[in-house]
Amino acid sequence: MFNPRPQVCYVAIAGQAPCVVVDDFLLDPHAVVAHAVAAQDRFAVDPANYYPGPELDLGRETALRLDEFFIQHVRRALGAQRTISVAARLALATLPPERLHPLQRLCHRDCADLAPGVGAAAAVVYLFDDPRLGGTSFYRATGSLEETARVMRAAHAGTAAHTGASGYLTASNAHFEQLCTIPACFNRAIFYDGTIFHAAQIEVPALLHGDPARGRLTMNGFFRFRQRSA
């Protein structure tokens, strides 16, 4: 499923672990898109994670194979020693800006509080041809931990005034500084530290579509791991 001889590079993120960028990630990416199209009726919105569109779990076998790739090609760059858990799913961003929850108008992190010695990582595989559908941007909070926590709590509670954006976040705002953007490219995967604030760089939301063959289809992976000793 995954390219055994991938093209791997590393993009620096100021003050953070690098983003690992892998081109030609899937051996047959069109087969994955075809699977998404065939399974479109099984995609569903999970309100618990605030993803702006429906998702489809890819099952344990795919998750374990993704973890094999992570172990072989990625974990050292992100400080991982041993994987604790892994999940993989397809996702299709579809919400127009006016329907976004305030929390979806901000950048976010892919993990809650982590136990000492435990780290998190995430992966995004771009499965669309039009780069205007957007890559991924990384951010840092400009305020204190307490201030940032207040902003996130207010957004979670639905207080739009605290989000600083009327749609998808695509640039620095009063609370977060954009550090870098990884452009989307068909069959490109990115792996990054799940504790880094990030957001999909959706600058042309009018292009979002509910058809997996036309919209912003991605494969997303989530990892928990034991951190490597310093």
Side-chain angles (χ1 to χ4, degrees):
M1 185 174 193
F2 305 112
N3 191 342
R5 291 180 289 277
Q7 302 177 45
V8 181
C9 68
Y10 305 91
V11 176
I13 303 175
Q16 305 287 346
C19 179
V20 181
V21 180
V22 185
D23 284 315
D24 298 321
F25 180 64
L26 294 162
L27 290 174
D28 190 356
H30 296 287
V32 180
V33 177
H35 171 70
V37 171
Q40 184 173 354
D41 291 345
R42 295 195 285 118
F43 277 69
V45 173
D46 180 358
N49 66 15
Y50 289 95
Y51 188 81
E55 301 169 289
L56 176 66
D57 187 86
L58 287 172
R60 181 167 175 77
E61 181 180 352
T62 298
L64 290 176
R65 295 177 73 177
L66 181 62
D67 185 45
E68 290 174 1
F69 186 97
F70 178 81
I71 291 169
Q72 184 173 358
H73 298 286
V74 177
R75 67 172 175 175
R76 181 169 295 276
L78 299 186
Q81 180 176 11
R82 178 176 60 83
T83 304
I84 299 171
S85 65
V86 59
R89 57 183 179 243
L90 293 174
L92 189 61
T94 57
L95 279 184
E98 64 272 14
R99 290 183 54 198
L100 292 175
H101 185 278
L103 200 62
Q104 295 167 323
R105 302 174 191 270
L106 288 175
C107 50
H108 64 281
R109 295 186 283 191
D110 289 323
C111 57
D113 293 334
L114 296 169
V118 175
V124 178
V125 186
Y126 306 113
L127 294 171
F128 50 88
D129 288 311
D130 191 341
R132 294 178 300 166
L133 284 165
T136 302
S137 292
F138 296 95
Y139 296 81
R140 74 170 184 89
T142 55
S144 66
L145 291 175
E146 293 77 10
E147 291 169 350
T148 303
R150 283 197 298 270
V151 169
M152 300 306 290
R153 284 196 301 269
H156 191 276
T159 308
H162 288 269
T163 67
S166 58
Y168 288 98
L169 182 66
T170 59
S172 301
N173 64 16
H175 307 292
F176 297 96
E177 176 190 359
Q178 188 181 94
L179 300 175
C180 68
T181 300
I182 310 298
C185 181
F186 183 69
N187 203 22
R188 167 177 288 170
I190 64 170
F191 293 80
Y192 53 88
D193 186 329
T195 66
I196 302 174
F197 282 103
H198 60 279
Q201 187 72 11
I202 300 176
E203 297 183 57
V204 193
L207 295 175
L208 298 178
H209 200 282
D211 180 354
R214 297 174 57 188
R216 193 181 188 278
L217 178 68
T218 58
M219 177 191 291
N220 298 344
F222 303 93
F223 308 84
R224 293 288 184 276
F225 55 79
R226 294 289 178 190
Q227 293 174 322
R228 192 171 63 247
S229 300

